[in-house]
Amino acid sequence: QVQLLQSGAEVRKPGASVKVSCQTSGYNFTAYYLHWLRQAPGQGLQWLGWINPNSGGRISAPRFVGRVTMTWDTSISTAYMELSTLKSDDTAIYYCARTKWADNWFDPWGQGTQITVSP
Amino acid sequence: EIVMTQSPATLSVSPGERVTLSCRASQSVRTYLAWYQQKPGQAPRLLVYGASTRATGVPARFSGSGSGTEFSLTISSLQSEDFAVYYCQHYHNWPPGITFGGGTKVEIK
């Protein structure tokens, strides 16, 4: 079955960077888009951007341009999201999720990675 | 960006009751609308896409409807496992960007 397995929780200080991985299995990695989203404590869902491993394209949400870097390694069907210049309000659970096209519904989702930014 | 507004924020209901959750878009998203269920400590789970198509494995008591700017998710007879937060999400491609509603929490009365 299709699975997205994310890396474990991380704690960082303000100003640092963090990199989260999303290892996929059960489908052709290059046939789907892979998105990154986040959810701050007690809050709703916020979309960060997507990658297209087939075309090499990637798009970040405007508020994250310049701070988020999305990469991937097709040989191991794994995507990565690095967020730099961390602030306390970047504390959130970060998810990866799959879609068939750029603008689409998300299914399935990774289990989430807790990122905590604290002095 | 398109703003998605869900109402109410919280719904207190008893098991077995019929529940209707609302989602409004700030401009037409046609039927490019999905619904998700999220339980504490879990990732969201897709329930409905295309405004009214149930995802694989979703029980028939869940139904979605609407188009344009007004959408609803109905749970015909609430089960204990349905107490959760529900989010709507548009995926219309213009203007660019994917956005979610703020969520409706369905809690036990």
Side-chain angles (χ1 to χ4, degrees):
Chain A
Q1 73 278 28
V2 176
Q3 287 190 310
L4 280 60
L5 185 62
Q6 298 183 223
S7 49
E10 304 269 13
V11 179
R12 293 286 187 274
K13 295 189 182 303
S17 298
V18 69
K19 191 171 186 177
V20 179
S21 67
C22 174
Q23 182 179 27
T24 73
S25 61
Y27 73 97
N28 182 353
F29 181 69
T30 59
Y32 291 80
Y33 289 72
L34 205 294
H35 297 244
W36 291 94
L37 307 98
R38 74 181 188 181
Q39 186 171 35
Q43 302 299 308
L45 295 154
Q46 186 173 42
W47 174 74
L48 276 66
W50 58 251
I51 61 164
N52 180 340
N54 185 50
S55 69
R58 69 200 85 189
I59 290 288
S60 301
R63 66 171 291 177
F64 295 104
V65 170
R67 251 196 348 128
V68 69
T69 303
M70 295 175 289
T71 57
W72 62 94
D73 185 339
T74 301
S75 69
I76 55 172
S77 301
T78 299
Y80 305 91
M81 187 282 299
E82 183 171 21
L83 190 61
S84 61
T85 319
L86 290 168
K87 300 169 282 189
S88 58
D89 62 5
D90 290 320
T91 293
I93 298 174
Y94 288 75
Y95 294 101
C96 59
R98 187 189 75 161
T99 66
K100 184 57 179 173
W101 300 282
D103 299 293
N104 208 215
W105 58 87
F106 300 104
D107 185 43
W109 297 58
Q111 84 277 20
T113 297
Q114 174 69 54
I115 302 300
T116 303
V117 183
S118 178
Chain B
E1 68 177 23
I2 296 174
V3 177
M4 307 301 291
T5 303
Q6 290 186 243
S7 61
T10 305
L11 212 48
S12 298
V13 296
S14 300
E17 285 187 22
R18 179 185 179 91
V19 171
T20 298
L21 286 59
S22 296
C23 174
R24 175 177 293 178
S26 60
Q27 65 187 75
S28 176
V29 297
R30 299 169 65 179
T31 57
Y32 298 121
L33 192 287
W35 289 94
Y36 300 86
Q37 176 193 67
Q38 186 177 33
K39 296 180 180 179
Q42 297 184 16
R45 168 200 176 197
L46 176 69
L47 294 177
V48 169
Y49 61 90
S52 61
T53 301
R54 273 191 304 277
T56 302
V58 174
R61 62 181 181 271
F62 290 91
S63 62
S65 64
S67 65
T69 62
E70 301 285 341
F71 301 88
S72 62
L73 176 71
T74 298
I75 310 172
S76 59
S77 178
L78 204 69
Q79 304 298 302
S80 58
E81 62 266 29
D82 301 335
F83 291 98
V85 180
Y86 293 83
Y87 293 97
C88 63
Q89 171 232 333
H90 89 83
Y91 48 95
H92 195 274
N93 63 358
W94 191 263
I98 295 170
T99 55
F100 292 81
T104 291
K105 181 179 181 180
V106 177
E107 62 179 24
I108 301 175
K109 189 173 185 178

